[in-house]
Amino acid sequence: MSLLTILRYPDPRLHTVARPVAAVDERIRQLVDDMCQTMYEADGVGLAATQVDVHECVIVMDTSDSRDQLQVLINPEIIAASAEMHVAEEGCLSVPLVYDKVERHARVTVRALGRDGQPHEFEAEGLAAICVQHEMDHLLGKVFVEYLSALKRDRIRTKMLKKARDDLRGD
Ligand code: NI
């Protein structure tokens, strides 16, 4: 396994729309394993392939406190969503140190392929529901800050660009 580089907002590659995985083969299983290692290393609850500059529909997530409930979603689809909405604070490994409130469906039913290529369905609520919707947005080229006001987004963009410059200088 190897650690992958996570793209940082406002990298334009984060706005690429992912294509469906044609076959869950050894290459995809390797990607899944590398994404898992990268997510756990970064202490994230979810990671979409888009964030590691691979534009195929693959998500890994683990919203458990114990960090041992890995979920692999390949070609995920939301097949049902609650009318009830829920607002919660979100963050993103591609937008470090930025947290803000986003409204999402409180519950979603998801169909996806697993690492074994087999289809499965599950209902998610709470953090898992937020995470699925957040990560599926990544596959559509959407970062959560795009739900915020233009003013907030501009401030975040400026802060991220400054951080990238500081990181380059090694500050
Ligand atoms: Ni994210």
Side-chain angles (χ1 to χ4, degrees):
M1 287 201 283
S2 49
L3 279 180
L4 305 170
T5 302
I6 299 175
L7 300 179
R8 297 274 181 92
Y9 184 82
D11 191 309
R13 291 172 289 181
L14 285 169
H15 303 305
T16 311
V17 177
R19 61 185 178 277
V21 169
V24 182
D25 54 14
E26 199 43 53
R27 181 182 66 88
I28 293 295
R29 282 190 288 273
Q30 184 65 54
L31 171 65
V32 165
D33 294 346
D34 290 346
M35 284 173 62
C36 288
Q37 196 192 4
T38 304
M39 174 184 74
Y40 284 121
E41 173 77 19
D43 211 20
V45 295
L47 186 69
T50 310
Q51 293 176 273
V52 294
D53 201 25
V54 175
H55 302 287
E56 293 178 78
C57 293
V58 177
I59 288 167
V60 296
M61 55 186 267
D62 186 343
T63 54
S64 70
D65 289 333
S66 49
R67 311 293 286 150
D68 59 359
Q69 301 292 316
L70 176 68
Q71 285 181 287
V72 175
L73 310 182
I74 297 170
N75 296 346
E77 296 170 77
I78 290 179
I79 55 175
S82 64
E84 185 194 340
M85 305 297 282
H86 184 70
V87 176
E89 195 152 86
E90 295 186 17
C92 179
L93 293 176
S94 293
V95 199
L97 305 176
V98 172
Y99 302 90
D100 214 320
K101 291 191 173 89
V102 178
E103 185 178 56
R104 306 278 189 187
H105 296 285
R107 287 173 303 284
V108 289
T109 306
V110 181
R111 180 186 293 151
L113 304 179
R115 189 182 179 283
D116 58 2
Q118 294 304 304
H120 62 287
E121 277 182 28
F122 63 98
E123 190 172 85
E125 61 180 341
L127 180 58
I130 293 167
C131 190
V132 166
Q133 292 171 85
H134 175 118
E135 301 310 332
M136 285 182 69
D137 272 353
H138 276 301
L139 300 180
L140 295 171
K142 186 163 184 173
V143 180
F144 86 101
V145 297
E146 289 166 68
Y147 288 102
L148 309 178
S149 68
L151 179 67
K152 275 189 177 174
R153 207 164 52 240
D154 283 350
R155 282 188 188 148
I156 291 165
R157 175 183 286 266
T158 303
K159 183 173 164 180
M160 289 298 119
L161 291 171
K162 180 179 184 305
K163 187 179 183 327
R165 283 196 302 273
D166 291 350
D167 288 352
L168 271 181
R169 282 209 312 267
D171 291 4

